[in-house]
Each structure stands twice: as C-alpha cells, then as structure tokens.
Amino acid sequence: MRHDLFLQRSKNLRGRVTTGVSVDFTSKMLGLPAALNGASYGRASAKTCHQDGGVVALGYGQFGTTWDDVNGTYGFETEPAATNLALYSAGAVATYTASNVTDAVTPLTGWAASLQFGNNSVQRSATKSISVASGTVYHISIYIQMDDDSAPVIGTTSSTGDLSLTLNGVIATTNPLVKKVGSTGSLYRISCARTASATATHEAGLTKYTGQSSKTFRVVGIQVETGSRATSYIATDSATASRAADPLVMPLSAIRGFDLAQYTLFVQCRRDVVLGTNLYALAFTNGGTSNRVGMSVNASNVESLLVDSAGVSQVSFTGATPGTATRKRAVSVSYNNFLSSQNGSTGTSDSSVDMPTGFTVLGIGNQNSTPFNGIIHKASLITRAYTQTELNGLTA
C-alpha cells in the first residue's frame, strides 16, 4: 500500500514539473534564480549592483539584480562591456583637480572617503583629467547624498539646479538621470552625457556654480565612460578598470518540453535612455542570425519583432515607440501563425511563416551575447502558442 502511494505521489510530482522558462527578476537576488537552472552566465569580470540602498560588489560570473528606481522593483541590468576612465574613483580630494571642496568628515555609508561640497558662496568643482576623442560621447556619473536628504537636481545651466556635471567646463545636458539607489535612504546616482569638442585631455566631473542652489552635499564614486548611458559602477585605483558584458543564455538542452513547432515568448523591460542601436530584450537563435525569433528596440527607438528562417526573413514588424517606459511584449509563433501583443494591445500578425529550426539558445537580455543595455524585469518561454486573447492578457 505504501509503495502504491509513493508511486502515485511521484507521478503527481512529475506532472507538476514546470516546462519552458519563466523568470521574475523583480526581487533582490544574489545568484541566478532557480528558474534558470542550467543557464549560462559567464560574465568574465566583477560587477556592482544596487541593493538595500547601497553598492554591492559581485564577483566574476556572479549574478545579482539591481534596484530600478523608475520601476520601483529590482531587475536584471544587462549591460555591454565598459571602462571607467576616471582614476581613483572613490578617492579623497587629493586625487581630484578640486576647487573649494574638502574631504567629508563623515564619508558616505559604505565608502572610505567622500567629497564635501559647501554652499553657493563660491564656485566649487571636482574633476578628473580624461583623454577624450573629438566627437565621442562621454557619460559622467557619481553617487550623491544631499545634506538635507532631498533629491538632487542636475543643473542644465550655471543658474539652475544644485550642481552640474561638466566636461572641460562645459555643462553636460544629454540624457540627465537622477536615480535613487534603493527604496529607502537618500543616496542617489546622477549622470549626464557630453560630446567631446576636441581630441585632448579634458576635465570631467562636477561643478557647483554660485548661481545654483545653496544646498550642500557629499559625493563619491565618479565614473567617466564612453556611450549614451551610465552603466553600473566600476571602481578604479591608479589605473582604469573595465567590466565585461552580461551574456545570460539558456541552452535549449536545459529547457524541458520545448517544441520548435510552437511556442510563446514574453518579456517585460525598459531602458534608461534612448539608444540609436538595435538591441534585443529576448531572442531565440542558433548562435547567429540565420535562424532566430526576437523582440528588440531598433535604432529608431521603435519596438521590432522578427522571425528569420534559413537566412530568409519571415516576419519583420515594427510597433510602438517605447522611449524609456516599461513595456510588456509577447509573440506567439507557430506554422503560418505569428501573433504579437504590446502592453495588452493586439500587435501585428502574419499568416505565412515558415518556422526556423536549429536553435541552440534563448538569450535573456541579449542576442548572441550582445546585451540589451537596459533592465529586464521578467522573461518567459511558454511551450505552446498562445491565442491573441491570451497574449493580450499576458502583456496587460
């Protein structure tokens, strides 16, 4: 009798084993979630993330979610490789070219040193010498805590805001962001971009002009990198330091119940800034582009859905312009039946689709190891083709 009960329980358990992949990154994590058992995440460097209102260091290949202040949840920040060009990123005043700035008596929590900026009675600045190339975009970011615990305001002129981020004395005004590091506390990370006007050594950092507010604050962790978006913090000492990209992939061999004949893909994601490149939030590939199904934001900042089979385009549709908003997107794929949905609304369909074969991996936040350069909140592979009604419910 006991043996029969054991067999029945085992059968019931086998029936409840989850097929496909469904992963939710919206909670604090250190280490890959159980839903990604068998996934490959081989980032070849250290990395940092934001958790509990502070900066957490991750070891080589260690996975961790980061706080997304815009969405009010955690998420997987999938990023390209980057290099912090600012030396001694968390150093004392002596490591900067500084004017009217002192070492903070009490450094920001978790840091050995911080810089203290006083009021607007005199102009104050702290910068790092960076070798820049003419026409290249440089992004400047730094952690800041206002002494009155308010949210900092980046000035776009010398008479607005609490401070300005500058490159060689010119105020940076492209893609300004003020992001709280956690759901509590008053630590923020501010960032802005500026295009270099000449190939030379320029001073990159921050300036508090006399025309700006009288508020005082402490700062630490300066980062200067190329690109239109501030990526996760990279600590430096006497030399520049780099971080590798985030190649999170799920081999098909690790996905139970997958059938090439029908499936549904779903992703919830967003970007911090608009980027003029075509990057994929979720993609099935064979390691190349001849066989793939993917959801991306294209170089014109338009949602793009595509299916390629044997190098021939089967589906190539564009949808809404998401900007930096959080979006939920899904596609249902089966022979001669492609359906899509965005944020609960019916998207484009196609009734003449040859199914691609030869898939090897599901890229989460990347296609062929090229990162989405944004934040993934949720991602799913469902091992059957959803109806349009189901798709709209999934993305609502």
Side-chain angles (χ1 to χ4, degrees):
M1 182 67 175
R2 289 181 178 177
H3 180 67
D4 291 341
L5 286 173
F6 173 77
L7 290 176
Q8 183 62 44
R9 288 172 181 166
S10 298
K11 182 178 180 181
N12 291 342
L13 286 171
R14 287 197 301 271
R16 289 198 293 268
V17 173
T18 302
T19 60
V21 177
S22 184
V23 59
D24 185 336
F25 296 113
T26 58
S27 61
K28 183 179 70 174
M29 299 178 191
L30 286 175
L32 285 173
L36 292 181
N37 183 37
S40 171
Y41 182 68
R43 188 191 65 251
S45 75
K47 180 174 175 169
T48 61
C49 62
H50 295 161
Q51 294 189 354
D52 297 326
V55 181
V56 176
L58 303 173
Y60 275 57
Q62 182 183 14
F63 180 88
T65 52
T66 200
W67 177 254
D68 177 11
D69 186 37
V70 175
N71 210 55
T73 63
Y74 283 90
F76 167 40
E77 188 174 23
T78 169
E79 303 177 302
T83 299
N84 187 356
L85 302 173
L87 307 186
Y88 299 104
S89 59
V93 168
T95 66
Y96 286 79
T97 300
S99 175
N100 297 314
V101 176
T102 63
D103 289 314
V105 175
T106 303
L108 293 174
T109 301
W111 303 83
S114 300
L115 277 59
Q116 178 72 55
F117 275 69
N119 60 26
N120 59 356
S121 59
V122 294
Q123 182 168 310
R124 307 176 191 274
S125 63
T127 59
K128 299 283 188 177
S129 295
I130 308 294
S131 295
V132 300
S134 179
T136 299
V137 177
Y138 291 86
H139 217 98
I140 306 164
S141 57
I142 199 163
Y143 292 96
I144 182 171
Q145 185 172 25
M146 306 300 292
D147 290 338
D148 65 359
D149 291 330
S150 63
V153 178
I154 302 175
T156 56
T157 69
S158 61
S159 60
T160 59
D162 301 313
L163 75 158
S164 295
L165 295 168
T166 58
L167 181 64
N168 213 37
V170 179
I171 295 173
T173 58
T174 303
N175 297 332
L177 286 178
V178 176
K179 297 172 63 179
K180 198 172 183 179
V181 171
S183 59
T184 60
S186 54
L187 182 65
Y188 290 80
R189 193 184 192 207
I190 59 174
S191 61
C192 215
R194 181 77 190 177
T195 302
S197 59
T199 298
T201 298
H202 281 181
E203 292 294 330
L206 54 100
T207 302
K208 182 174 182 60
Y209 295 96
T210 57
Q212 294 179 320
S213 83
S214 62
K215 290 184 178 182
T216 60
F217 52 84
R218 290 170 292 168
V219 296
V220 72
I222 186 171
Q223 183 154 311
V224 183
E225 59 192 307
T226 58
S228 299
R229 175 181 182 268
T231 63
S232 59
Y233 172 63
I234 305 167
T236 63
D237 287 311
S238 60
T240 62
S242 300
R243 182 201 61 252
D246 293 294
L248 177 57
V249 298
M250 193 74 173
L252 291 196
S253 58
I255 302 176
R256 183 177 180 272
F258 176 68
D259 183 353
L260 279 170
Q262 59 166 334
Y263 45 88
T264 299
L265 293 174
F266 163 80
V267 67
Q268 176 182 320
C269 60
R270 74 167 195 85
R271 287 177 157 183
D272 281 330
V273 301
V274 173
L275 300 169
T277 51
N278 187 23
L279 297 173
Y280 286 75
L282 195 65
F284 256 139
T285 73
N286 63 346
T289 58
S290 59
N291 293 288
R292 60 179 173 172
V293 176
M295 291 182 283
S296 69
V297 179
N298 68 22
S300 300
N301 188 37
V302 176
E303 290 172 334
S304 178
L305 312 169
L306 63 81
V307 178
D308 291 333
S309 179
V312 178
S313 176
Q314 304 294 310
V315 172
S316 182
F317 294 127
T318 55
T321 301
T324 58
T326 300
R327 299 285 289 174
K328 297 179 182 179
R329 292 182 283 160
V331 295
S332 170
V333 189
S334 58
Y335 181 70
N336 283 346
N337 191 26
F338 174 90
L339 305 173
S340 67
S341 178
Q342 300 92 32
N343 277 22
S345 299
T346 299
T348 306
S349 61
D350 193 293
S351 58
S352 58
V353 179
D354 284 336
M355 297 296 288
T357 60
F359 289 146
T360 55
V361 296
L362 172 67
I364 301 174
N366 73 83
Q367 179 189 241
N368 302 328
S369 297
T370 299
F372 176 64
N373 205 355
I375 297 178
I376 307 295
H377 300 110
K378 298 179 181 180
S380 296
L381 161 65
I382 300 160
T383 56
R384 68 177 179 86
Y386 268 23
T387 65
Q388 188 65 64
T389 299
E390 290 176 312
L391 281 182
N392 290 353
L394 183 63
T395 64

